[in-house]
Amino acid sequence: MSSAGGRHFLQIPGPTNVPERVLRAVARPTIDHRGPEFARLTHEILAALKELFHNRDGDVMIFPASGSGAWEAALVNTLSPGDRVLMFDHGFFARGWCGIAERLGLEVDLVPSDWRQPVDPAAVEERLRAEGDAPYGAVAVVHSETSTGVCSDIAAIRTAIDRAGHGALLLVDAVSSLASMPLPQDEWGVDVVVTGSQKGLMLPPGLSFNSVSAKALAASDNATLRRAYWDWEALRAQNARGFFPYTPATNLLFGLSEALAMLREEGEAAVFARHDRLAAATRAAVQAWGLETYCADPANASSSLTAVMTPDGVDADAVRQVILDNFDMSLGTGLGPLQGKLFRIGHLGELNELALGGALGGVEMGLRLAGVPFRAGGVTAALESLATEAAAASATAS
Ligand code: PLP
């Protein structure tokens, strides 16, 4: 049976559901990307992005690319051939970024880590103190590891760098955390935030970003890795006039403008609280099912997604297939070594309590149909969690 009516449930941790308002904005007629209307759009978007990232003194770069392009841009604009980069093997995407750094000719020190745990700030400090004659140019970490559902403490990593008295740049992948979890760039001293359009920003895939601190802009003057398409300077020079050095993704920028307006209307604190609520309810469901989240400690859980381990001998991809076939819902697959061992529930971007209830209902029915040993009652536990939060919110409001 396949659900013929209703919409497809896209519950992967990105790309996420695109709100109607954003879809309508993307569908507007394309305009001249060298005309005055476009220049106004660029200026308006760049100003709004600086607020979104909490980046007062630096600049935000927009690329017509997926998140991986912004990974590369962050590295080629700040580092030189042979520079040492401190990275941690804390998930599939951390490994992916490391692979790009290595292919660019950087000297990556990839610290073996437990994927079920966040990056250890004490290990950051220890490595920086023990660097020897070849200083690290940058520390690069993934904030919300989309492959594991584990969130690393960026403020604590900043403190660790400062305690070591080290001048390394801090580069942070916020592909699945921006606009879902707090990452105040100035306050946490992040030099480059890397992100993409297709998750918390509620846009289709196709845009990516570097939010760059004043310190990273200064570092880029001396960085000598080859760069052409990703060059921040060329982009900044054109952006100052409202334009781009190439044909920009005009219609995605219409969508971005609308998505930024939606985020402003909801308010940053409310957006983060909503993600926290939905994440907590999802974890309540997993616990009631008698299953385990891949993230070992809920205190480190990402609010964007939850990775759910299937019991030994149960292929998580087979469960996902049953859910897709029967209920028209897509869940995220396990990535790399985690394939078949877990499925990932995305609860970021445009999502509310009722939609999450439906998604968890699909998971619970799917577990049953797939013959997974589990306890019923996860959805009830999730609804209980959501209702308790709603009651608390209305008590505070009245
Ligand atoms: N970093 C993280 C944390 C991601 O989740 C992803 C993609 O999901 C990427 C980087 C790579 O982004 P993209 O697939 O848009 O190139």
Side-chain angles (χ1 to χ4, degrees):
M1 182 198 90
S2 151
S3 309
R7 67 167 178 85
H8 174 67
F9 265 61
L10 183 65
Q11 295 303 143
I12 59 175
T16 59
N17 294 293
V18 180
E20 286 292 328
R21 271 176 70 176
V22 173
L23 287 173
R24 279 197 294 274
V26 171
R28 278 173 48 195
T30 304
I31 59 172
D32 174 11
H33 61 285
R34 301 191 198 282
E37 186 184 347
F38 188 89
R40 279 194 296 277
L41 177 74
T42 303
H43 289 309
E44 171 243 302
I45 286 176
L46 289 174
L49 283 172
K50 286 188 70 171
E51 273 184 36
L52 180 82
F53 283 98
H54 293 256
N55 178 350
R56 205 182 38 249
D57 302 325
D59 262 329
V60 179
M61 320 285 163
I62 310 173
F63 299 105
S66 81
S68 305
W71 267 347
E72 178 161 340
L75 298 170
V76 295
N77 281 284
T78 55
L79 297 163
S80 301
D83 271 358
R84 270 179 100 196
V85 182
L86 180 60
M87 289 181 144
F88 290 79
D89 181 9
H90 63 116
F92 180 83
F93 291 104
R95 275 190 191 172
W97 201 4
C98 168
I100 288 187
E102 285 175 340
R103 273 173 277 157
L104 289 170
L106 294 164
E107 211 42 64
V108 182
D109 203 354
L110 186 68
V111 181
S113 307
D114 178 350
W115 280 26
R116 299 189 68 184
Q117 302 285 347
V119 171
D120 177 9
V124 173
E125 185 176 345
E126 191 186 314
R127 292 276 168 164
L128 292 179
R129 285 188 188 279
E131 71 185 352
D133 294 339
Y136 290 109
V139 177
V141 295
V142 178
H143 185 202
S144 161
E145 235 309 340
T146 323
S147 61
T148 64
V150 179
C151 184
S152 286
D153 185 342
I154 301 301
I157 291 170
R158 171 79 259 165
T159 303
I161 298 172
D162 293 345
R163 273 218 300 260
H166 205 289
L169 296 171
L170 175 58
L171 315 181
V172 174
D173 172 330
V175 172
S176 69
S177 62
L178 187 86
S180 302
M181 285 180 279
L183 182 63
Q185 180 170 8
D186 287 337
E187 190 186 328
W188 289 0
V190 180
D191 292 301
V192 186
V193 179
V194 172
T195 198
S197 55
Q198 74 273 26
K199 305 207 187 222
L201 284 176
M202 308 178 289
L203 288 162
L207 291 181
S208 60
F209 308 85
N210 281 171
S211 179
V212 184
S213 71
K215 178 178 166 189
L217 284 174
S220 73
D221 290 342
N222 302 316
T224 58
L225 274 176
R226 291 271 177 99
R227 53 200 198 239
Y229 190 73
W230 306 113
D231 185 15
W232 288 343
E233 262 329 294
L235 193 51
R236 291 176 80 208
Q238 287 293 324
N239 279 177
R241 305 170 48 230
F243 302 124
F244 284 75
Y246 38 68
T247 310
T250 308
N251 290 56
L252 287 177
L253 295 174
F254 289 152
L256 176 59
S257 166
E258 194 66 28
L260 290 168
M262 288 178 70
L263 289 167
R264 263 197 316 273
E265 287 163 23
E266 186 176 355
E268 177 184 83
V271 170
F272 297 151
R274 173 168 56 83
H275 283 81
D276 288 345
R277 276 197 312 276
L278 301 181
T282 305
R283 290 194 297 274
V286 176
Q287 194 182 15
W289 287 326
L291 300 177
E292 217 183 321
T293 60
Y294 186 73
C295 177
D297 180 349
N300 305 316
S302 168
S303 287
S304 301
L305 76 140
T306 302
V308 185
M309 294 163 75
T310 46
D312 279 349
V314 176
D315 178 2
D317 283 339
V319 178
R320 290 175 52 249
Q321 192 63 50
V322 166
I323 291 170
L324 179 62
D325 291 347
N326 287 274
F327 306 116
D328 196 23
M329 176 164 72
S330 297
L331 297 171
T333 187
L335 294 167
L338 302 178
Q339 176 136 35
K341 296 186 165 63
L342 56 79
F343 58 85
R344 295 171 301 142
I345 303 172
H347 34 72
L348 73 165
E350 186 182 60
L351 194 70
N352 61 21
E353 276 79 355
L354 297 189
L356 181 74
L360 294 174
V363 176
E364 185 157 332
M365 290 189 286
L367 291 169
R368 187 166 150 211
L369 285 182
V372 178
F374 81 110
R375 291 194 301 266
V379 174
T380 307
L383 300 186
E384 192 63 41
S385 164
L386 294 170
T388 305
E389 290 279 349
S394 49
T396 317
S398 60

